[in-house]
Coordinates of all heavy atoms in Angstrom, one line a residue:
R122 N 105.8 80.8 91.8 CA 106.0 82.0 92.7 C 106.3 81.6 94.1 O 107.2 82.2 94.7 CB 104.6 82.8 92.7 CG 104.3 83.4 91.4 CD 103.0 84.1 91.4 NE 102.7 84.6 90.0 CZ 101.8 85.4 89.7 NH1 101.0 85.9 90.7 NH2 101.6 85.9 88.5
R123 N 105.7 80.5 94.6 CA 106.0 80.1 95.9 C 107.4 79.5 96.1 O 108.1 79.7 97.0 CB 104.9 79.0 96.4 CG 103.6 79.7 96.5 CD 102.5 78.7 97.0 NE 101.2 79.3 97.1 CZ 100.8 80.0 98.1 NH1 101.5 80.2 99.1 NH2 99.6 80.5 98.0
E124 N 107.8 78.8 95.0 CA 109.2 78.2 95.1 C 110.2 79.3 95.0 O 111.2 79.3 95.8 CB 109.4 77.3 93.8 CG 108.7 76.0 93.9 CD 108.8 75.2 92.6 OE1 109.2 75.8 91.5 OE2 108.5 74.0 92.6
A125 N 110.0 80.3 94.2 CA 111.0 81.4 94.1 C 111.0 82.2 95.4 O 112.0 82.6 95.9 CB 110.6 82.4 93.0
A126 N 109.8 82.4 96.0 CA 109.7 83.1 97.3 C 110.5 82.3 98.4 O 111.3 82.9 99.2 CB 108.3 83.2 97.7
E127 N 110.4 81.0 98.4 CA 111.1 80.2 99.4 C 112.6 80.2 99.2 O 113.3 80.3 100.2 CB 110.6 78.7 99.3 CG 111.1 77.9 100.5 CD 110.5 76.4 100.4 OE1 109.3 76.3 100.1 OE2 111.3 75.5 100.7
C128 N 113.0 80.2 98.0 CA 114.5 80.2 97.7 C 115.1 81.6 98.1 O 116.2 81.6 98.6 CB 114.7 80.0 96.2 SG 114.5 78.4 95.7
L129 N 114.3 82.7 98.0 CA 114.8 84.0 98.3 C 114.4 84.4 99.7 O 114.7 85.6 100.1 CB 114.3 85.0 97.3 CG 114.8 84.8 95.8 CD1 114.2 85.7 94.8 CD2 116.4 85.0 95.8
D130 N 113.8 83.6 100.5 CA 113.4 83.8 101.8 C 112.5 85.0 101.9 O 112.7 86.0 102.7 CB 114.7 84.1 102.7 CG 114.3 83.9 104.2 OD1 113.4 83.1 104.5 OD2 115.0 84.5 105.0
V131 N 111.4 85.0 101.1 CA 110.4 86.0 101.0 C 109.1 85.3 101.2 O 108.9 84.1 100.8 CB 110.4 86.7 99.7 CG1 109.3 87.7 99.5 CG2 111.8 87.4 99.4
S132 N 108.1 86.0 101.8 CA 106.8 85.3 101.9 C 106.1 85.1 100.6 O 106.4 85.9 99.6 CB 105.9 86.2 102.8 OG 105.5 87.3 102.1
A133 N 105.4 84.0 100.5 CA 104.7 83.7 99.3 C 103.7 84.8 98.9 O 103.6 85.1 97.7 CB 104.0 82.4 99.4
G134 N 103.1 85.4 99.9 CA 102.1 86.5 99.6 C 102.8 87.7 98.9 O 102.3 88.3 98.0
S135 N 104.0 88.0 99.4 CA 104.8 89.1 98.8 C 105.1 88.8 97.3 O 105.0 89.6 96.5 CB 106.0 89.4 99.6 OG 105.7 89.9 100.8
A136 N 105.5 87.6 97.1 CA 105.9 87.2 95.8 C 104.7 87.3 94.8 O 104.8 87.8 93.7 CB 106.4 85.7 95.8
V137 N 103.6 86.8 95.3 CA 102.3 86.9 94.5 C 102.0 88.3 94.2 O 101.7 88.7 93.0 CB 101.2 86.2 95.2 CG1 99.9 86.4 94.5 CG2 101.5 84.7 95.2
K138 N 102.1 89.2 95.2 CA 101.7 90.6 95.0 C 102.7 91.3 94.0 O 102.3 92.1 93.2 CB 101.7 91.3 96.3 CG 100.5 91.0 97.1 CD 100.5 91.7 98.5 CE 99.3 91.2 99.3 NZ 99.4 91.9 100.7
W139 N 104.0 91.0 94.2 CA 105.0 91.6 93.4 C 104.8 91.3 91.9 O 104.9 92.1 91.0 CB 106.4 91.2 93.8 CG 106.8 91.7 95.1 CD1 106.2 92.6 95.9 CD2 108.0 91.3 95.8 NE1 106.9 92.8 97.1 CE2 108.0 92.0 97.1 CE3 109.0 90.4 95.6 CZ2 109.0 91.8 98.0 CZ3 110.0 90.2 96.5 CH2 110.0 90.9 97.8
L140 N 104.5 90.0 91.7 CA 104.3 89.5 90.3 C 103.0 90.0 89.7 O 102.9 90.3 88.5 CB 104.5 88.0 90.2 CG 105.9 87.6 90.4 CD1 106.1 86.2 90.7 CD2 106.7 88.0 89.2
Q141 N 102.0 90.2 90.5 CA 100.7 90.8 90.1 C 101.0 92.2 89.6 O 100.5 92.7 88.6 CB 99.6 90.8 91.2 CG 99.0 89.4 91.4 CD 98.0 89.4 92.5 OE1 98.0 90.3 93.4 NE2 97.2 88.4 92.6
R142 N 101.8 92.9 90.5 CA 102.1 94.3 90.1 C 102.9 94.4 88.8 O 102.7 95.2 88.0 CB 103.0 94.9 91.3 CG 103.4 96.4 91.0 CD 103.8 97.0 92.3 NE 104.5 98.3 92.1 CZ 103.8 99.4 91.8 NH1 102.5 99.4 91.8 NH2 104.5 100.5 91.7
W143 N 103.8 93.4 88.6 CA 104.6 93.4 87.4 C 103.7 93.1 86.2 O 103.8 93.7 85.1 CB 105.6 92.3 87.5 CG 106.4 92.1 86.2 CD1 107.3 93.0 85.7 CD2 106.4 91.0 85.3 NE1 107.8 92.5 84.5 CE2 107.3 91.3 84.3 CE3 105.7 89.8 85.3 CZ2 107.5 90.4 83.2 CZ3 105.9 88.9 84.3 CH2 106.8 89.2 83.3
Q144 N 102.7 92.2 86.3 CA 101.7 92.0 85.2 C 100.9 93.2 84.9 O 100.5 93.4 83.8 CB 100.8 90.8 85.6 CG 101.6 89.4 85.6 CD 100.7 88.3 86.1 OE1 99.8 88.5 86.8 NE2 101.1 87.1 85.7
N145 N 100.5 93.9 86.0 CA 99.6 95.1 85.8 C 100.3 96.3 85.3 O 99.7 97.1 84.5 CB 98.8 95.4 87.1 CG 97.9 94.3 87.4 OD1 97.4 93.5 86.6 ND2 97.6 94.2 88.7
T146 N 101.5 96.5 85.8 CA 102.2 97.8 85.5 C 103.5 97.7 84.7 O 104.0 98.6 84.2 CB 102.5 98.6 86.8 OG1 103.5 97.8 87.6 CG2 101.3 98.8 87.6
G147 N 104.0 96.4 84.7 CA 105.3 96.2 84.0 C 106.5 96.6 84.9 O 107.6 96.6 84.5
S148 N 106.2 96.8 86.2 CA 107.3 97.1 87.2 C 107.1 96.4 88.5 O 105.9 96.2 88.9 CB 107.3 98.6 87.4 OG 108.2 98.9 88.5
V149 N 108.2 95.9 89.1 CA 108.0 95.3 90.4 C 108.4 96.2 91.5 O 108.5 95.9 92.7 CB 108.9 94.0 90.5 CG1 108.3 92.9 89.6 CG2 110.3 94.2 90.2
A150 N 108.7 97.5 91.2 CA 109.2 98.5 92.2 C 108.1 98.7 93.2 O 106.9 98.6 92.8 CB 109.6 99.8 91.5
A151 N 108.5 99.0 94.4 CA 107.5 99.3 95.4 C 106.7 100.6 95.1 O 107.2 101.5 94.5 CB 108.2 99.4 96.8
K152 N 105.5 100.6 95.6 CA 104.7 101.9 95.4 C 105.3 103.0 96.3 O 105.9 102.7 97.3 CB 103.3 101.6 95.8 CG 102.5 100.7 94.9 CD 101.1 100.5 95.4 CE 100.3 99.5 94.6 NZ 98.9 99.3 95.1
P153 N 105.1 104.2 95.9 CA 105.6 105.3 96.8 C 104.9 105.3 98.1 O 103.7 105.0 98.2 CB 105.3 106.6 96.0 CG 104.8 106.1 94.7 CD 104.5 104.7 94.7
T154 N 105.6 105.7 99.2 CA 105.0 105.7 100.5 C 105.0 107.2 101.0 O 105.7 108.0 100.5 CB 105.7 104.8 101.5 OG1 107.1 105.3 101.6 CG2 105.7 103.4 101.1
G155 N 104.1 107.4 102.0 CA 104.1 108.7 102.7 C 103.4 109.7 101.8 O 102.7 109.4 100.9
G156 N 103.7 111.0 102.1 CA 103.2 112.1 101.2 C 101.8 112.5 101.6 O 101.1 113.1 100.7
S157 N 101.4 112.4 102.8 CA 100.1 112.9 103.2 C 100.1 114.4 103.2 O 101.1 115.0 103.4 CB 99.7 112.3 104.5 OG 100.5 112.8 105.5
I158 N 99.0 115.0 102.9 CA 98.9 116.4 102.9 C 98.0 116.9 104.0 O 96.9 116.4 104.2 CB 98.3 116.9 101.5 CG1 99.3 116.5 100.4 CG2 98.1 118.4 101.5 CD1 98.7 116.7 99.0
S159 N 98.4 117.9 104.7 CA 97.6 118.4 105.8 C 96.4 119.2 105.3 O 96.5 119.9 104.3 CB 98.5 119.4 106.6 OG 97.7 120.1 107.6
P160 N 95.3 119.1 106.0 CA 94.1 119.8 105.6 C 94.3 121.3 105.8 O 93.6 122.1 105.2 CB 93.0 119.4 106.6 CG 93.5 118.1 107.2 CD 95.0 118.1 107.1
L161 N 95.3 121.7 106.6 CA 95.6 123.1 106.7 C 96.4 123.7 105.5 O 96.5 125.0 105.4 CB 96.5 123.4 108.0 CG 95.8 123.1 109.3 CD1 96.8 123.4 110.5 CD2 94.6 124.0 109.5

């Protein structure tokens, strides 16, 4: 993971998290962002 991260100029922590996500969900896609709902 660290070698691949270095070759692609990505932090090792990101590489580890992306591959953990792939192992858990089968996808390396980013989680959705935003979408907060107003209490009103």
Side-chain angles (χ1 to χ4, degrees):
R122 295 174 182 195
R123 293 182 184 276
E124 289 171 346
E127 189 175 319
C128 288
L129 295 172
D130 200 27
V131 175
S132 72
S135 292
V137 169
K138 287 179 185 177
W139 295 348
L140 290 163
Q141 283 174 346
R142 181 165 168 76
W143 178 68
Q144 287 174 339
N145 293 334
T146 66
S148 170
V149 292
K152 293 180 183 177
T154 59
S157 65
I158 297 173
S159 169
L161 291 180

